[in-house]
Amino acid sequence: MDRVALRGLKARGHHGVFPKEREEGQTFIVDLVLGLDTRPAAADDDLAKTVHYGIVAEEVVAVVEGEPVNLIETLAERIAQACLKHEGVEEVEVRVHKPDAPITVPFDDVTVTITRSRV
């Protein structure tokens, strides 16, 4: 399986369990690795035979900016399901970064990574 990766998609969302997170929002960063067969697209040099990563990026940002959820695990699942709706995408790895998580000790980042595939 071939891979198409998008790294560092940034969007502001209102996800979290604390009222301040819901009210003020924060930046979330998403990395994606889409698994698909790129041979048909490469053979014909045809965008219609692969995944349009620009559209995927816009859809992922819309999910992050959309309906708030408590957990980044839930957010990652919603992003994965949006990616798998694209024809040809057989699997996806989603990593959601929450660099401004409400943690009381110094830290660099919090991430949740999930892998989903068509069943």
Side-chain angles (χ1 to χ4, degrees), residues 44-89:
D44 295 336
D45 198 26
D46 187 351
L47 176 61
K49 294 182 178 179
T50 189
V51 64
H52 191 309
Y53 49 79
I55 291 173
V56 171
E58 291 170 359
E59 292 173 355
V60 168
V61 166
V63 171
V64 175
E65 293 176 343
E67 180 184 350
V69 295
N70 289 330
L71 304 176
I72 57 174
E73 291 87 343
T74 306
L75 182 60
E77 185 67 34
R78 289 184 177 181
I79 291 167
Q81 295 309 314
C83 293
L84 289 171
K85 288 181 181 177
H86 287 267
E87 185 177 337
V89 176

Side-chain angles (χ1 to χ4, degrees), residues 9-29 64-65 69-70 72 75 96-103 107 109-110:
L9 295 171
K10 293 181 184 176
R12 190 159 187 84
H14 293 265
H15 311 290
V17 296
F18 298 113
K20 184 177 179 182
E21 293 178 292
R22 292 293 183 105
E23 293 164 12
E24 295 179 11
Q26 60 192 292
T27 299
F28 293 85
I29 302 165
V64 175
E65 293 176 343
V69 295
N70 289 330
I72 57 174
L75 182 60
V96 176
H97 300 256
K98 189 175 180 180
D100 298 320
I103 297 175
F107 74 103
D109 198 6
V110 172

